[in-house]
Amino acid sequence: MALLEIRDLNVTYKTNEKNVYAVQHVNLDICEQDSIGIVGESGSGKSTMAMAILQLLPKDITEVTGSVVFQGKDLLKLSESELAELRWKDISVVFQKALNALSPVHKIGKQMADVYRVHYPNENKEVIKKRVYEMLELVNLSDRVYDSYPHELSGGMMQRVSIALSLLHNPKLLVLDEATTALDVVTQSQILKEVMELEEKMKLTRIMITHDVSVVASTCKKVAVMYAGCLMEVGNVTDVLLKAKHPYTQGLLKSFPSFKGEKSNLRGIPGSLIDLASVQKGCPFAARCSKATDICFNKKPEIRSFSDTWKVACHKAGEANE
C-alpha cells in the first residue's frame, strides 16, 4: 500500500495576464521506505509539485486540483490546523537554502526547541534539550552548535541543522527540495551519505527534488522524470537510468558525464522549454524531440507500463537510443 498517492495533480499559477500550467495531470504512488528522485531541468515543475504536496503554495495565486492522499487523508482537503498537525511530525521538508530557513537572530538550540514545542508545547526543558542534542549528534554536529547562531556555521553545517530540524519528530515522509545543490561536491556527498544512513535507521520515506541525475543514481531507489509539468518516465533507478525509454530521459542522460564505461561527448538537448502558459495539444516535448512524428504534435501520449514499476508517457517509448 502506498504511503502517498498522487492522482491527477494539477497546479496553475494565476495572474491578471495569463495562467501558467506548472503541473499537469501527475499520477504517482510512493510506498513506505521508498526513496524517489524527481528530476528534470529548471521549470519542469519539480519544486511546484513538492510544494503542492506540502500545501505550501500561496493560495491567492495558485489553483491546485486532484488529490494527494497521505495515510488515508487527502492533504488538499485539510484545513490549515489539520495540516499543522501533520507538518514536522508526519511530513517534513528540507529546503535548498538553509540560511533562509533559519532565523539569523536566534541560536540553533532555541530554534530547534521551538520546533519541538509545536507538537509538545508543555514538554520539560531538559527533555527537549536532550532531544536536540541527540539530533545534532545524529547529523554529526558537535554540542557547540546548540549555542551557535546560523552565521557562525558553514553552509554544510547549516544544512545538517536543517536536516536535524526536519527529523526532530521522526516524520514518516521527508522531502528534500534541492537540499544539497548549493554545497560543494565533497560536502554534498557527505550529507547525502548521512541522509541515506538516517533513512535506514529511522525507516524514512524520502522524496528528493533535484536537477542532478547523478545524485538520484547514487542515493535513490526510484526516479520520476518531469518535463513542462508532466511526468515523462517513472521507474526503478536501474531501469530508467540504464535503459531509458523516453527521448527526454535519454537526452538528460547524454548531458551528464559518465564515470564508468567509455568516454563520450556530452550532448545538450536542443531548443528550450515550452511556454507553460500555452495549452499543448500533443506531447510537451515534441518540439525538441528528434523522434517526434505527427502523432506526437497532435495527441498527448498515454502512460504505458513496461513493468509493474516502470511507466513511460511517449508514443515512441522504447525505440533505439539515437
Side-chain angles (χ1 to χ4, degrees), residues 40-85:
E41 60 194 291
S42 296
S44 61
K46 309 182 300 295
S47 292
T48 294
M49 184 177 77
M51 294 304 101
I53 291 170
L54 297 165
Q55 285 290 276
L56 294 176
L57 292 171
K59 298 188 184 302
D60 56 331
I61 62 167
T62 55
E63 179 183 76
V64 182
T65 61
S67 66
V68 179
V69 177
F70 175 76
Q71 293 187 319
K73 298 178 181 178
D74 188 346
L75 301 180
L76 304 188
K77 295 181 179 179
L78 298 183
S79 66
E80 193 56 40
S81 61
E82 289 172 322
L83 287 167
E85 283 297 313

mmCIF file of all heavy atoms in Angstrom, residues 40-85:
data_model
loop_
_atom_site.group_PDB
_atom_site.id
_atom_site.type_symbol
_atom_site.label_atom_id
_atom_site.label_comp_id
_atom_site.label_asym_id
_atom_site.label_seq_id
_atom_site.Cartn_x
_atom_site.Cartn_y
_atom_site.Cartn_z
ATOM 1 N N GLY A 40 14.577 16.733 -13.551
ATOM 2 C CA GLY A 40 14.155 17.480 -14.731
ATOM 3 C C GLY A 40 14.844 18.823 -14.726
ATOM 4 O O GLY A 40 15.353 19.269 -13.694
ATOM 5 N N GLU A 41 14.863 19.484 -15.873
ATOM 6 C CA GLU A 41 15.529 20.777 -15.945
ATOM 7 C C GLU A 41 14.711 21.851 -15.239
ATOM 8 O O GLU A 41 13.571 21.618 -14.819
ATOM 9 C CB GLU A 41 15.781 21.157 -17.403
ATOM 10 C CG GLU A 41 14.527 21.258 -18.255
ATOM 11 C CD GLU A 41 14.856 21.300 -19.740
ATOM 12 O OE1 GLU A 41 15.418 22.316 -20.188
ATOM 13 O OE2 GLU A 41 14.553 20.322 -20.446
ATOM 14 N N SER A 42 15.278 23.045 -15.088
ATOM 15 C CA SER A 42 14.581 24.148 -14.427
ATOM 16 C C SER A 42 13.274 24.446 -15.157
ATOM 17 O O SER A 42 13.228 24.493 -16.388
ATOM 18 C CB SER A 42 15.464 25.403 -14.423
ATOM 19 O OG SER A 42 16.626 25.180 -13.666
ATOM 20 N N GLY A 43 12.212 24.649 -14.388
ATOM 21 C CA GLY A 43 10.907 24.940 -14.972
ATOM 22 C C GLY A 43 10.079 23.711 -15.274
ATOM 23 O O GLY A 43 8.981 23.820 -15.833
ATOM 24 N N SER A 44 10.559 22.534 -14.871
ATOM 25 C CA SER A 44 9.825 21.306 -15.174
ATOM 26 C C SER A 44 8.693 21.017 -14.198
ATOM 27 O O SER A 44 7.895 20.119 -14.426
ATOM 28 C CB SER A 44 10.788 20.113 -15.218
ATOM 29 O OG SER A 44 11.426 19.941 -13.967
ATOM 30 N N GLY A 45 8.634 21.776 -13.090
ATOM 31 C CA GLY A 45 7.529 21.613 -12.143
ATOM 32 C C GLY A 45 7.862 20.780 -10.921
ATOM 33 O O GLY A 45 6.973 20.480 -10.110
ATOM 34 N N LYS A 46 9.142 20.429 -10.748
ATOM 35 C CA LYS A 46 9.543 19.559 -9.627
ATOM 36 C C LYS A 46 9.211 20.187 -8.279
ATOM 37 O O LYS A 46 8.522 19.584 -7.446
ATOM 38 C CB LYS A 46 11.056 19.282 -9.675
ATOM 39 C CG LYS A 46 11.588 18.785 -10.992
ATOM 40 C CD LYS A 46 13.065 18.493 -10.948
ATOM 41 C CE LYS A 46 13.929 19.696 -10.593
ATOM 42 N NZ LYS A 46 13.888 20.771 -11.593
ATOM 43 N N SER A 47 9.721 21.391 -8.043
ATOM 44 C CA SER A 47 9.521 22.043 -6.746
ATOM 45 C C SER A 47 8.068 22.440 -6.537
ATOM 46 O O SER A 47 7.541 22.359 -5.422
ATOM 47 C CB SER A 47 10.428 23.272 -6.618
ATOM 48 O OG SER A 47 11.781 22.886 -6.543
ATOM 49 N N THR A 48 7.405 22.868 -7.615
ATOM 50 C CA THR A 48 5.983 23.227 -7.506
ATOM 51 C C THR A 48 5.165 22.018 -7.067
ATOM 52 O O THR A 48 4.279 22.129 -6.217
ATOM 53 C CB THR A 48 5.457 23.758 -8.848
ATOM 54 O OG1 THR A 48 6.102 24.996 -9.152
ATOM 55 C CG2 THR A 48 3.955 23.990 -8.782
ATOM 56 N N MET A 49 5.476 20.851 -7.618
ATOM 57 C CA MET A 49 4.764 19.638 -7.219
ATOM 58 C C MET A 49 5.006 19.340 -5.741
ATOM 59 O O MET A 49 4.070 19.006 -5.004
ATOM 60 C CB MET A 49 5.204 18.448 -8.064
ATOM 61 C CG MET A 49 4.412 17.180 -7.750
ATOM 62 S SD MET A 49 4.841 15.774 -8.802
ATOM 63 C CE MET A 49 6.382 15.268 -8.050
ATOM 64 N N ALA A 50 6.261 19.486 -5.299
ATOM 65 C CA ALA A 50 6.581 19.225 -3.893
ATOM 66 C C ALA A 50 5.848 20.198 -2.974
ATOM 67 O O ALA A 50 5.297 19.796 -1.940
ATOM 68 C CB ALA A 50 8.087 19.330 -3.671
ATOM 69 N N MET A 51 5.838 21.476 -3.335
ATOM 70 C CA MET A 51 5.161 22.473 -2.505
ATOM 71 C C MET A 51 3.639 22.272 -2.511
ATOM 72 O O MET A 51 2.960 22.575 -1.530
ATOM 73 C CB MET A 51 5.507 23.881 -2.985
ATOM 74 C CG MET A 51 6.969 24.277 -2.805
ATOM 75 S SD MET A 51 7.583 24.141 -1.095
ATOM 76 C CE MET A 51 8.489 22.581 -1.166
ATOM 77 N N ALA A 52 3.112 21.741 -3.604
ATOM 78 C CA ALA A 52 1.675 21.433 -3.650
ATOM 79 C C ALA A 52 1.345 20.277 -2.710
ATOM 80 O O ALA A 52 0.329 20.298 -2.013
ATOM 81 C CB ALA A 52 1.258 21.090 -5.078
ATOM 82 N N ILE A 53 2.224 19.268 -2.688
ATOM 83 C CA ILE A 53 2.034 18.134 -1.778
ATOM 84 C C ILE A 53 2.028 18.622 -0.331
ATOM 85 O O ILE A 53 1.208 18.199 0.489
ATOM 86 C CB ILE A 53 3.155 17.089 -1.981
ATOM 87 C CG1 ILE A 53 2.998 16.413 -3.345
ATOM 88 C CG2 ILE A 53 3.138 16.048 -0.860
ATOM 89 C CD1 ILE A 53 4.185 15.546 -3.727
ATOM 90 N N LEU A 54 2.949 19.532 -0.023
ATOM 91 C CA LEU A 54 3.088 20.046 1.339
ATOM 92 C C LEU A 54 2.089 21.155 1.656
ATOM 93 O O LEU A 54 2.029 21.640 2.781
ATOM 94 C CB LEU A 54 4.514 20.582 1.546
ATOM 95 C CG LEU A 54 5.636 19.539 1.416
ATOM 96 C CD1 LEU A 54 6.979 20.230 1.261
ATOM 97 C CD2 LEU A 54 5.648 18.614 2.617
ATOM 98 N N GLN A 55 1.331 21.586 0.644
ATOM 99 C CA GLN A 55 0.367 22.681 0.802
ATOM 100 C C GLN A 55 1.064 23.972 1.277
ATOM 101 O O GLN A 55 0.595 24.658 2.201
ATOM 102 C CB GLN A 55 -0.754 22.289 1.765
ATOM 103 C CG GLN A 55 -1.773 21.313 1.173
ATOM 104 C CD GLN A 55 -2.637 21.958 0.116
ATOM 105 O OE1 GLN A 55 -3.634 22.610 0.394
ATOM 106 N NE2 GLN A 55 -2.232 21.830 -1.145
ATOM 107 N N LEU A 56 2.170 24.302 0.619
ATOM 108 C CA LEU A 56 2.935 25.495 0.958
ATOM 109 C C LEU A 56 2.920 26.536 -0.157
ATOM 110 O O LEU A 56 3.658 27.520 -0.107
ATOM 111 C CB LEU A 56 4.395 25.113 1.277
ATOM 112 C CG LEU A 56 4.605 24.269 2.528
ATOM 113 C CD1 LEU A 56 6.073 23.890 2.678
ATOM 114 C CD2 LEU A 56 4.126 25.009 3.783
ATOM 115 N N LEU A 57 2.087 26.332 -1.168
ATOM 116 C CA LEU A 57 1.975 27.312 -2.244
ATOM 117 C C LEU A 57 1.061 28.461 -1.826
ATOM 118 O O LEU A 57 0.113 28.257 -1.063
ATOM 119 C CB LEU A 57 1.408 26.648 -3.507
ATOM 120 C CG LEU A 57 2.306 25.632 -4.206
ATOM 121 C CD1 LEU A 57 1.519 24.904 -5.295
ATOM 122 C CD2 LEU A 57 3.530 26.305 -4.802
ATOM 123 N N PRO A 58 1.334 29.676 -2.303
ATOM 124 C CA PRO A 58 0.461 30.818 -1.971
ATOM 125 C C PRO A 58 -0.938 30.616 -2.547
ATOM 126 O O PRO A 58 -1.109 30.503 -3.761
ATOM 127 C CB PRO A 58 1.174 32.013 -2.615
ATOM 128 C CG PRO A 58 2.064 31.419 -3.676
ATOM 129 C CD PRO A 58 2.469 30.067 -3.164
ATOM 130 N N LYS A 59 -1.923 30.551 -1.686
ATOM 131 C CA LYS A 59 -3.276 30.211 -2.127
ATOM 132 C C LYS A 59 -3.935 31.295 -2.977
ATOM 133 O O LYS A 59 -4.868 31.018 -3.729
ATOM 134 C CB LYS A 59 -4.152 29.896 -0.907
ATOM 135 C CG LYS A 59 -3.656 28.681 -0.107
ATOM 136 C CD LYS A 59 -4.634 28.294 0.966
ATOM 137 C CE LYS A 59 -4.103 27.156 1.835
ATOM 138 N NZ LYS A 59 -3.791 25.952 1.064
ATOM 139 N N ASP A 60 -3.466 32.544 -2.855
ATOM 140 C CA ASP A 60 -4.100 33.632 -3.589
ATOM 141 C C ASP A 60 -3.751 33.630 -5.076
ATOM 142 O O ASP A 60 -4.472 34.220 -5.887
ATOM 143 C CB ASP A 60 -3.739 34.989 -2.975
ATOM 144 C CG ASP A 60 -2.240 35.213 -2.904
ATOM 145 O OD1 ASP A 60 -1.505 34.217 -2.795
ATOM 146 O OD2 ASP A 60 -1.812 36.375 -2.958
ATOM 147 N N ILE A 61 -2.665 32.958 -5.475
ATOM 148 C CA ILE A 61 -2.278 32.972 -6.889
ATOM 149 C C ILE A 61 -2.157 31.570 -7.492
ATOM 150 O O ILE A 61 -1.724 31.428 -8.624
ATOM 151 C CB ILE A 61 -0.950 33.738 -7.109
ATOM 152 C CG1 ILE A 61 0.197 33.058 -6.354
ATOM 153 C CG2 ILE A 61 -1.081 35.195 -6.726
ATOM 154 C CD1 ILE A 61 1.570 33.548 -6.769
ATOM 155 N N THR A 62 -2.522 30.548 -6.739
ATOM 156 C CA THR A 62 -2.418 29.192 -7.275
ATOM 157 C C THR A 62 -3.742 28.446 -7.153
ATOM 158 O O THR A 62 -4.504 28.634 -6.208
ATOM 159 C CB THR A 62 -1.337 28.364 -6.545
ATOM 160 O OG1 THR A 62 -1.598 28.355 -5.141
ATOM 161 C CG2 THR A 62 0.047 28.909 -6.811
ATOM 162 N N GLU A 63 -3.989 27.600 -8.119
ATOM 163 C CA GLU A 63 -5.133 26.691 -8.082
ATOM 164 C C GLU A 63 -4.588 25.277 -8.139
ATOM 165 O O GLU A 63 -3.861 24.919 -9.067
ATOM 166 C CB GLU A 63 -6.063 26.947 -9.264
ATOM 167 C CG GLU A 63 -7.258 26.007 -9.297
ATOM 168 C CD GLU A 63 -8.126 26.233 -10.509
ATOM 169 O OE1 GLU A 63 -7.723 25.799 -11.614
ATOM 170 O OE2 GLU A 63 -9.195 26.855 -10.361
ATOM 171 N N VAL A 64 -4.922 24.464 -7.136
ATOM 172 C CA VAL A 64 -4.443 23.085 -7.066
ATOM 173 C C VAL A 64 -5.645 22.158 -7.101
ATOM 174 O O VAL A 64 -6.564 22.279 -6.290
ATOM 175 C CB VAL A 64 -3.623 22.845 -5.777
ATOM 176 C CG1 VAL A 64 -3.090 21.415 -5.756
ATOM 177 C CG2 VAL A 64 -2.468 23.835 -5.672
ATOM 178 N N THR A 65 -5.641 21.227 -8.065
ATOM 179 C CA THR A 65 -6.744 20.263 -8.169
ATOM 180 C C THR A 65 -6.181 18.843 -8.194
ATOM 181 O O THR A 65 -4.989 18.632 -8.383
ATOM 182 C CB THR A 65 -7.576 20.509 -9.441
ATOM 183 O OG1 THR A 65 -6.729 20.342 -10.598
ATOM 184 C CG2 THR A 65 -8.169 21.907 -9.446
ATOM 185 N N GLY A 66 -7.063 17.884 -8.021
ATOM 186 C CA GLY A 66 -6.655 16.484 -7.938
ATOM 187 C C GLY A 66 -6.702 16.027 -6.497
ATOM 188 O O GLY A 66 -7.436 16.581 -5.670
ATOM 189 N N SER A 67 -5.905 15.033 -6.159
ATOM 190 C CA SER A 67 -5.845 14.560 -4.776
ATOM 191 C C SER A 67 -4.434 14.117 -4.427
ATOM 192 O O SER A 67 -3.694 13.613 -5.276
ATOM 193 C CB SER A 67 -6.825 13.400 -4.549
ATOM 194 O OG SER A 67 -6.432 12.264 -5.295
ATOM 195 N N VAL A 68 -4.074 14.350 -3.160
ATOM 196 C CA VAL A 68 -2.792 13.901 -2.617
ATOM 197 C C VAL A 68 -3.113 13.208 -1.300
ATOM 198 O O VAL A 68 -3.279 13.861 -0.270
ATOM 199 C CB VAL A 68 -1.817 15.079 -2.389
ATOM 200 C CG1 VAL A 68 -0.499 14.568 -1.807
ATOM 201 C CG2 VAL A 68 -1.562 15.838 -3.684
ATOM 202 N N VAL A 69 -3.226 11.895 -1.341
ATOM 203 C CA VAL A 69 -3.676 11.131 -0.173
ATOM 204 C C VAL A 69 -2.470 10.596 0.589
ATOM 205 O O VAL A 69 -1.675 9.823 0.061
ATOM 206 C CB VAL A 69 -4.600 9.980 -0.592
ATOM 207 C CG1 VAL A 69 -5.007 9.154 0.629
ATOM 208 C CG2 VAL A 69 -5.836 10.521 -1.308
ATOM 209 N N PHE A 70 -2.350 11.042 1.836
ATOM 210 C CA PHE A 70 -1.272 10.612 2.722
ATOM 211 C C PHE A 70 -1.884 9.885 3.905
ATOM 212 O O PHE A 70 -2.656 10.463 4.664
ATOM 213 C CB PHE A 70 -0.473 11.831 3.200
ATOM 214 C CG PHE A 70 0.594 11.513 4.216
ATOM 215 C CD1 PHE A 70 1.789 10.921 3.836
ATOM 216 C CD2 PHE A 70 0.401 11.810 5.565
ATOM 217 C CE1 PHE A 70 2.770 10.623 4.770
ATOM 218 C CE2 PHE A 70 1.375 11.516 6.508
ATOM 219 C CZ PHE A 70 2.575 10.916 6.106
ATOM 220 N N GLN A 71 -1.600 8.603 4.027
ATOM 221 C CA GLN A 71 -2.161 7.762 5.093
ATOM 222 C C GLN A 71 -3.677 7.918 5.204
ATOM 223 O O GLN A 71 -4.228 8.080 6.282
ATOM 224 C CB GLN A 71 -1.502 8.103 6.424
ATOM 225 C CG GLN A 71 -0.023 7.725 6.490
ATOM 226 C CD GLN A 71 0.565 7.912 7.869
ATOM 227 O OE1 GLN A 71 0.293 8.892 8.553
ATOM 228 N NE2 GLN A 71 1.387 6.970 8.293
ATOM 229 N N GLY A 72 -4.333 7.879 4.062
ATOM 230 C CA GLY A 72 -5.791 7.930 4.036
ATOM 231 C C GLY A 72 -6.404 9.312 4.083
ATOM 232 O O GLY A 72 -7.617 9.453 3.977
ATOM 233 N N LYS A 73 -5.586 10.366 4.212
ATOM 234 C CA LYS A 73 -6.093 11.739 4.271
ATOM 235 C C LYS A 73 -5.680 12.506 3.026
ATOM 236 O O LYS A 73 -4.505 12.496 2.649
ATOM 237 C CB LYS A 73 -5.552 12.459 5.513
ATOM 238 C CG LYS A 73 -5.962 11.838 6.832
ATOM 239 C CD LYS A 73 -5.341 12.602 7.998
ATOM 240 C CE LYS A 73 -5.726 11.990 9.337
ATOM 241 N NZ LYS A 73 -5.085 12.699 10.475
ATOM 242 N N ASP A 74 -6.652 13.164 2.385
ATOM 243 C CA ASP A 74 -6.349 13.990 1.224
ATOM 244 C C ASP A 74 -5.814 15.339 1.708
ATOM 245 O O ASP A 74 -6.555 16.163 2.260
ATOM 246 C CB ASP A 74 -7.601 14.199 0.372
ATOM 247 C CG ASP A 74 -7.295 14.883 -0.957
ATOM 248 O OD1 ASP A 74 -6.179 15.424 -1.111
ATOM 249 O OD2 ASP A 74 -8.170 14.881 -1.840
ATOM 250 N N LEU A 75 -4.521 15.561 1.512
ATOM 251 C CA LEU A 75 -3.887 16.783 2.020
ATOM 252 C C LEU A 75 -4.493 18.051 1.417
ATOM 253 O O LEU A 75 -4.469 19.110 2.041
ATOM 254 C CB LEU A 75 -2.383 16.743 1.722
ATOM 255 C CG LEU A 75 -1.596 15.572 2.312
ATOM 256 C CD1 LEU A 75 -0.118 15.673 1.942
ATOM 257 C CD2 LEU A 75 -1.760 15.511 3.828
ATOM 258 N N LEU A 76 -5.033 17.946 0.204
ATOM 259 C CA LEU A 76 -5.593 19.122 -0.463
ATOM 260 C C LEU A 76 -6.921 19.558 0.154
ATOM 261 O O LEU A 76 -7.387 20.671 -0.092
ATOM 262 C CB LEU A 76 -5.790 18.851 -1.954
ATOM 263 C CG LEU A 76 -4.555 18.398 -2.744
ATOM 264 C CD1 LEU A 76 -4.869 18.354 -4.230
ATOM 265 C CD2 LEU A 76 -3.369 19.325 -2.476
ATOM 266 N N LYS A 77 -7.519 18.677 0.963
ATOM 267 C CA LYS A 77 -8.819 18.994 1.564
ATOM 268 C C LYS A 77 -8.732 19.326 3.048
ATOM 269 O O LYS A 77 -9.734 19.642 3.675
ATOM 270 C CB LYS A 77 -9.785 17.821 1.356
ATOM 271 C CG LYS A 77 -10.129 17.577 -0.113
ATOM 272 C CD LYS A 77 -11.099 16.418 -0.258
ATOM 273 C CE LYS A 77 -11.451 16.187 -1.718
ATOM 274 N NZ LYS A 77 -12.377 15.031 -1.894
ATOM 275 N N LEU A 78 -7.529 19.260 3.614
ATOM 276 C CA LEU A 78 -7.374 19.513 5.046
ATOM 277 C C LEU A 78 -7.342 21.008 5.345
ATOM 278 O O LEU A 78 -6.891 21.815 4.534
ATOM 279 C CB LEU A 78 -6.083 18.869 5.563
ATOM 280 C CG LEU A 78 -5.967 17.345 5.455
ATOM 281 C CD1 LEU A 78 -4.670 16.874 6.087
ATOM 282 C CD2 LEU A 78 -7.157 16.653 6.114
ATOM 283 N N SER A 79 -7.817 21.365 6.524
ATOM 284 C CA SER A 79 -7.743 22.758 6.969
ATOM 285 C C SER A 79 -6.315 23.078 7.384
ATOM 286 O O SER A 79 -5.482 22.179 7.541
ATOM 287 C CB SER A 79 -8.682 22.983 8.151
ATOM 288 O OG SER A 79 -8.233 22.228 9.276
ATOM 289 N N GLU A 80 -6.032 24.348 7.599
ATOM 290 C CA GLU A 80 -4.679 24.748 7.987
ATOM 291 C C GLU A 80 -4.295 24.153 9.335
ATOM 292 O O GLU A 80 -3.149 23.754 9.549
ATOM 293 C CB GLU A 80 -4.578 26.277 8.051
ATOM 294 C CG GLU A 80 -3.162 26.813 8.145
ATOM 295 C CD GLU A 80 -2.261 26.348 7.005
ATOM 296 O OE1 GLU A 80 -2.726 26.295 5.860
ATOM 297 O OE2 GLU A 80 -1.089 26.005 7.279
ATOM 298 N N SER A 81 -5.257 24.054 10.253
ATOM 299 C CA SER A 81 -4.962 23.464 11.569
ATOM 300 C C SER A 81 -4.689 21.968 11.458
ATOM 301 O O SER A 81 -3.830 21.424 12.168
ATOM 302 C CB SER A 81 -6.121 23.721 12.541
ATOM 303 O OG SER A 81 -7.324 23.126 12.063
ATOM 304 N N GLU A 82 -5.394 21.295 10.556
ATOM 305 C CA GLU A 82 -5.166 19.865 10.346
ATOM 306 C C GLU A 82 -3.802 19.627 9.690
ATOM 307 O O GLU A 82 -3.091 18.680 10.024
ATOM 308 C CB GLU A 82 -6.277 19.275 9.481
ATOM 309 C CG GLU A 82 -7.619 19.168 10.197
ATOM 310 C CD GLU A 82 -8.749 18.774 9.273
ATOM 311 O OE1 GLU A 82 -8.767 19.230 8.109
ATOM 312 O OE2 GLU A 82 -9.626 17.988 9.708
ATOM 313 N N LEU A 83 -3.432 20.506 8.772
ATOM 314 C CA LEU A 83 -2.114 20.409 8.140
ATOM 315 C C LEU A 83 -1.002 20.654 9.156
ATOM 316 O O LEU A 83 0.045 20.003 9.121
ATOM 317 C CB LEU A 83 -1.998 21.421 6.992
ATOM 318 C CG LEU A 83 -2.791 21.098 5.726
ATOM 319 C CD1 LEU A 83 -2.836 22.318 4.809
ATOM 320 C CD2 LEU A 83 -2.174 19.904 4.995
ATOM 321 N N ALA A 84 -1.241 21.600 10.069
ATOM 322 C CA ALA A 84 -0.243 21.911 11.098
ATOM 323 C C ALA A 84 0.039 20.700 11.985
ATOM 324 O O ALA A 84 1.153 20.525 12.474
ATOM 325 C CB ALA A 84 -0.723 23.082 11.953
ATOM 326 N N GLU A 85 -0.970 19.858 12.180
ATOM 327 C CA GLU A 85 -0.780 18.650 12.979
ATOM 328 C C GLU A 85 0.138 17.651 12.284
ATOM 329 O O GLU A 85 0.833 16.866 12.926
ATOM 330 C CB GLU A 85 -2.138 17.997 13.252
ATOM 331 C CG GLU A 85 -2.949 18.682 14.332
ATOM 332 C CD GLU A 85 -2.261 18.625 15.690
ATOM 333 O OE1 GLU A 85 -1.800 17.523 16.073
ATOM 334 O OE2 GLU A 85 -2.159 19.666 16.340
#
